[in-house]
Amino acid sequence: QVQLVEAGGGLVQPGGSLLLSCEASGLIPSRYAMGWYRQPPRNERERVATIFSGGVTSTADSVTGRFTISFENAENTLYLQMNNLKPEDTAVYFCNIRDLFTRADYWGQGTQVTVSS
């Protein structure tokens, strides 16, 4: 079992920045994909960014160049640096880890990000 706890959401003006964090605890898989997903109001959950245990990262087209995903091994913490935020980035952001061997998925509780003037 893996436990994920997100933090860092809030209200920010357009053009502003936020740093989301996700602390992982428990039995963290040796081969994994960790990522951020978001669910805007009245929409389905969508992938934002992913980082694999080997260090490779990818981001959705809508956030490429603005968002950066990283994982701090010493802290077992996943980060999402969000810059130049737009109103359409408003959503509940979820942290996820997938065990690439067993395909087990674990989710955090979510953190609200609101971009508004």
Side-chain angles (χ1 to χ4, degrees):
Q1 291 285 341
V2 181
Q3 294 78 42
L4 302 172
V5 179
E6 299 106 332
L11 173 64
V12 63
Q13 292 187 343
S17 298
L18 279 176
L19 176 66
L20 302 184
S21 64
C22 172
E23 183 175 358
S25 61
L27 296 176
I28 299 172
S30 59
R31 291 178 63 242
Y32 61 80
M34 285 195 78
W36 290 96
Y37 291 73
R38 66 187 181 186
Q39 187 161 12
R42 299 173 296 281
N43 274 295
E44 295 183 351
R45 192 173 297 188
E46 61 186 19
R47 189 187 74 90
V48 175
T50 307
I51 185 166
F52 294 88
S53 46
V56 174
T57 63
S58 71
T59 52
D61 289 345
S62 59
V63 305
T64 297
R66 300 188 297 123
F67 292 9
T68 303
I69 188 171
S70 62
F71 184 73
E72 179 58 53
N73 282 294
E75 301 171 355
N76 280 343
T77 301
L78 181 73
Y79 293 98
L80 185 69
Q81 176 65 50
M82 305 187 293
N83 298 326
N84 191 20
L85 283 159
K86 305 175 180 180
E88 51 264 42
D89 295 318
T90 295
V92 179
Y93 284 70
F94 297 90
C95 174
N96 167 269
I97 183 168
R98 170 171 289 185
D99 186 322
L100 295 181
F101 183 69
T102 66
R103 296 295 182 183
D105 263 323
Y106 302 93
W107 293 91
Q109 80 285 358
T111 184
Q112 177 70 47
V113 172
T114 303
V115 185
S116 175
S117 55

